[in-house]
Amino acid sequence: MVHVWPLALHDGELTLRPLRRRDRTDFDRLRARNADWLRPWDASDPDRGRAGIDFRTLRRWNEQQARLGTHLPLAITLRGGAVIGQITAGPIQYGALRTAVLGYWIDREAAGRGLVPRSVALVIDHLFAELGLHRIEVTVRPENTASLRVVEKLHLRSEGMRRAAIHVDGAWRDHLVFALTAEEVATGDDGRGVLRRLQYEFPSDTPTT
């Protein structure tokens, strides 16, 4: 299994790809427009509080970590258009662990259309089929009902609560832990497993074109 960067993952009108320099204006507008929507779920620094996201710094860090193979940071886009969210796998650990943690967010105007579950499924299938990982983990605040619905759709197992696990929105917050291992998914020769199961069970999330 070989980590390749840059890469793009596709499903119908949905494309996951690296951030590009020309995304800066649209990305900054997207974050500003969704500030209140994302505030309860954004990680924060216990010493410095909430720091604004500088696009140039973010993109540079993404590129460095992606080329090292420690993270897989991708922008969520529709039909090759502007960025509407992000999904990141990281840290990616090999050796005896072969695991990764997923995080994601999406534009409020695009929420509720099945795009996040499809994005998560695409990334998990890539991590299992192409990178040979064994376990994927997602942590969710108990209050985040939208994200809880995502892990439910994808059949991630609940593994309990981590108390005061991550500093989010200015305080140490409890997080529920969900996980999936490669043995729990029937992956086809095309590398699709989680995505195929999602679209079979939720056909309304399947792209129409």
Side-chain angles (χ1 to χ4, degrees):
M1 304 297 178
V2 179
H3 176 81
V4 176
W5 185 262
L7 85 159
L9 305 177
H10 305 278
D11 178 51
E13 85 287 13
L14 177 66
T15 295
L16 310 181
R17 61 161 175 81
L19 281 174
R20 301 166 180 163
R21 290 186 180 89
R22 62 176 178 270
D23 291 323
R24 180 174 183 173
T25 298
D26 288 336
F27 183 88
D28 288 344
R29 289 174 179 169
L30 176 67
R31 291 293 306 191
R33 187 173 70 247
N34 285 274
D36 291 340
W37 163 254
L38 298 174
R39 182 172 293 111
W41 325 119
D42 273 348
S44 49
D45 189 316
D47 295 323
R48 301 178 183 177
R50 184 184 302 279
I53 297 178
D54 176 84
F55 177 83
R56 186 174 299 173
T57 301
L58 173 65
R59 184 179 176 278
R60 184 184 304 118
W61 186 89
N62 282 353
E63 286 290 320
Q64 290 173 346
Q65 299 304 309
R67 293 187 184 282
L68 288 172
T70 64
H71 289 71
L72 183 64
L74 298 168
I76 303 172
T77 71
L78 290 177
R79 299 194 185 283
V83 177
I84 59 170
Q86 284 184 287
I87 181 167
T88 300
I92 298 172
Q93 300 181 74
Y94 293 96
L97 290 176
R98 291 189 174 269
T99 187
V101 179
L102 291 187
Y104 44 81
W105 62 268
I106 197 166
D107 182 3
R108 187 171 192 170
E109 295 179 1
R113 294 161 52 186
L115 297 171
V116 170
R118 285 169 59 196
S119 298
V120 175
L122 270 172
V123 172
I124 293 177
D125 283 344
H126 176 78
L127 295 173
F128 283 160
E130 300 301 326
L131 298 190
L133 296 192
H134 174 253
R135 171 186 162 92
I136 307 302
E137 183 176 300
V138 176
T139 59
V140 181
R141 285 189 60 181
E143 304 89 349
N144 193 342
T145 56
S147 197
L148 290 174
R149 180 60 174 152
V150 171
V151 296
E152 177 186 357
K153 279 188 171 185
L154 299 177
H155 297 280
L156 272 68
R157 284 177 292 96
S158 175
E159 294 191 336
M161 178 84 75
R162 287 181 183 164
R163 298 292 180 184
I166 306 173
H167 202 269
V168 173
D169 192 28
W172 292 104
R173 310 287 186 177
D174 296 343
H175 279 70
L176 295 167
V177 180
F178 298 87
L180 188 70
T181 60
E183 294 89 347
E184 297 173 274
V185 183
T187 302
D189 293 338
D190 61 356
R192 300 293 174 92
V194 182
L195 183 64
R196 180 183 294 109
R197 183 171 64 185
L198 172 70
Q199 295 180 336
Y200 175 79
E201 296 182 359
F202 298 91
S204 61
D205 290 344
T206 303
T208 57
T209 59

